[in-house]
Amino acid sequence: MSEIKPNDKGSSEESAEEQDWAAAKAAFDNLKSNKPRPPKPKNAVTIAVSSRTLFNMKAERKIFEEEGLEKYVAFQQEHENEPLKPGPAFPFVKALMNVNTQLRELYPDNEELFDIVLMTNNHAQVGVRLINSINHYGMLRRDLTIERFCMTGGKSPIGYLKAYLTNLYLSKSADKVIQAIDEGIAAATMFTPDTEQELSNTQLRVAFDGDAVLFSDESEIIVKQHGLDTFFEHEKHFENKPLAQGPLKCFLEALGKLQRKFYAKNERLNCPIRTFLVTARSAASSGARVLKTLRSWGLEIDEALFLAGAPKGPLLQKIRPHIFFDDQMFHIEGATELGTISAHVPYGIGQKYHKGKLIEQPEKKE
């Protein structure tokens, strides 16, 4: 059966309307062919970000806390055509887009890409402003389309993270991050730096602490409970025994998977992903076990920086990562003061200490 077109009069000559119809259909078909399909979640590296990490919603949050939910939603609707300002995760997400651009150039049909999910407990009525803000900053484009939203209407979104096959969750809520880590998902609480730094537009730069971030907190437990001398002896004795994995090991693994896509095309030197280990460990006394652990996992780190207890902030200021992960707020504070976008990983024994002092834990109610 022949296709029925509008105003088909059976004439052999095409009318102006028929020509318009054909042109519109051709343009639509061309659009479909030029826009790659979003990657299947099972193949992608999925990053879930909250609306308050992607955008600066400090003023809106104040309305919510002081005037309540209804006033907050009304404010968002009244200002839905005003784009929100970038938040702490914004440069990180833009860097992910740039990696995707380069991956698509090498592998046009590749589905091993970064995929962003906006994971928020906002109400659906706020969604229009979030979508308009994403559009304003060009985040709905062929390199990486933020098409997957999860708006839970005031309820915690943590229960959806596994369903979205999340590789990393970033939030401003420490409670939600702790819940995510308890569910076995790499997660961190984001902090906005005190000053802005110019970051790379061509390379994603990710810096990790070691113990209680990439690795378990077993070594930190020894330091806190028995001191440095016992720690050094322990590390030397167990130098050839790999450390247990920490909460962000799986994210480093996901980054390595994408890095190898570039290596396979002889693009190691031009790889747009660069990873850094920035640890307070000493290289001579406790560094070998760290490097041997990474080797046993089949993982690479581009730069390993052992500071032997020196402050991390000045070095991170030189690295200029799009995100820095650490389990101790002491290091997070020092990094943000000098302009580094930082993310706290609330994991392990370090959460009981601040600036080396034991924090009194509230007694649990029976």
Side-chain angles (χ1 to χ4, degrees):
M1 182 179 292
S2 61
E3 183 180 0
I4 299 175
K5 300 187 178 94
N7 298 328
D8 190 355
K9 301 175 182 178
S11 170
S12 60
E13 296 182 0
E14 287 188 329
S15 67
E17 289 184 10
E18 287 175 321
Q19 291 174 2
D20 290 344
W21 172 266
K25 184 176 184 301
F28 179 70
D29 290 341
N30 183 59
L31 178 63
K32 287 196 299 180
S33 64
N34 285 335
K35 183 179 180 181
R37 296 177 181 177
K40 295 177 182 178
K42 67 179 181 179
N43 297 326
V45 176
T46 300
I47 314 295
V49 296
S50 74
S51 55
R52 288 199 295 141
T53 60
L54 186 58
F55 298 114
N56 183 339
M57 300 179 70
K58 187 175 180 180
E60 289 78 5
R61 182 72 179 178
K62 185 177 181 182
I63 293 172
F64 172 76
E65 292 174 347
E66 295 181 357
E67 301 182 45
L69 175 62
E70 299 305 321
K71 291 286 187 181
Y72 166 79
V73 172
F75 179 87
Q76 294 283 35
Q77 289 179 318
E78 289 168 7
H79 296 80
E80 63 185 22
N81 292 320
E82 298 175 17
L84 293 158
K85 294 180 180 179
F90 189 90
F92 176 60
V93 171
K94 295 288 281 187
L96 300 180
M97 289 183 173
N98 290 330
V99 173
N100 278 2
T101 300
Q102 296 181 60
L103 275 168
R104 280 250 163 88
E105 288 174 356
L106 293 176
Y107 302 92
D109 299 321
N110 178 51
E111 285 198 338
E112 291 182 329
L113 302 164
F114 290 112
D115 189 24
I116 305 299
V117 176
L118 189 65
M119 185 76 62
T120 174
N121 61 357
N122 262 298
H123 287 252
Q125 295 95 319
V126 181
V128 173
R129 191 178 189 196
L130 293 173
I131 291 170
N132 287 344
S133 297
I134 287 170
N135 274 316
H136 172 78
Y137 293 109
M139 289 182 166
L140 287 176
R141 67 189 212 197
R142 73 189 304 269
D143 306 324
L144 182 149
T145 304
I146 304 179
E147 290 184 335
R148 295 201 287 161
F149 278 39
C150 180
M151 293 180 283
T152 60
K155 295 184 178 181
S156 173
I158 301 305
Y160 293 102
L161 289 173
K162 284 187 177 180
Y164 277 87
L165 303 180
T166 303
N167 295 95
L168 175 68
Y169 171 59
L170 299 174
S171 176
K172 293 285 283 185
S173 168
D175 290 339
K176 291 187 180 70
V177 167
I178 291 170
Q179 292 172 34
I181 291 176
D182 288 343
E183 291 289 321
I185 294 166
T189 312
M190 293 213 70
F191 289 84
T192 303
D194 295 347
T195 58
E196 289 188 11
Q197 288 194 98
E198 186 176 346
L199 303 176
S200 174
N201 291 321
T202 58
Q203 186 178 67
L204 168 67
R205 301 167 75 85
V206 182
F208 299 90
D209 177 34
D211 296 301
V213 177
L214 291 180
F215 316 115
S216 74
D217 66 335
E218 65 171 85
S219 296
E220 286 199 352
I221 291 173
I222 293 170
V223 172
K224 302 297 185 187
Q225 296 182 349
H226 303 289
L228 279 173
D229 290 340
T230 302
F231 163 72
F232 293 142
E233 292 175 7
H234 176 270
E235 292 301 288
K236 185 176 181 180
H237 182 74
F238 291 101
E239 180 180 311
N240 294 313
K241 180 184 178 182
L243 290 154
Q245 73 177 51
L248 262 69
K249 181 252 188 178
C250 55
F251 180 54
L252 177 62
E253 205 166 33
L255 292 176
K257 179 182 75 169
L258 296 186
Q259 282 180 310
R260 287 190 291 274
K261 301 287 287 184
F262 291 94
Y263 301 165
K265 295 286 189 177
N266 295 318
E267 291 289 328
R268 179 181 285 267
L269 295 179
N270 298 317
C271 181
I273 303 172
R274 192 162 186 84
T275 55
F276 301 79
L277 173 66
V278 183
T279 173
R281 283 176 176 250
S282 165
S285 56
S286 58
R289 192 180 183 196
V290 164
L291 298 177
K292 288 182 178 181
T293 296
L294 291 171
R295 185 191 303 164
S296 73
W297 291 346
L299 297 180
E300 296 183 37
I301 202 87
D302 293 304
E303 297 188 29
L305 308 167
F306 295 89
L307 303 187
K312 297 182 180 181
L315 195 66
L316 289 164
Q317 196 175 30
K318 298 297 183 182
I319 295 172
R320 298 190 178 188
H322 292 90
I323 192 166
F324 162 61
F325 298 99
D326 203 293
D327 69 302
Q328 297 191 47
M329 280 303 302
F330 173 76
H331 293 305
I332 295 292
E333 291 166 356
T336 55
E337 284 174 4
L338 295 179
T340 297
I341 301 169
S342 303
H344 180 237
V345 182
Y347 177 82
I349 193 172
Q351 307 320 303
K352 297 181 180 180
Y353 292 80
H354 184 63
K355 297 186 178 180
K357 295 182 180 180
L358 181 66
I359 301 171
E360 291 186 7
Q361 303 293 312
E363 293 184 4
K364 292 184 178 180
K365 295 181 180 180
E366 298 294 335

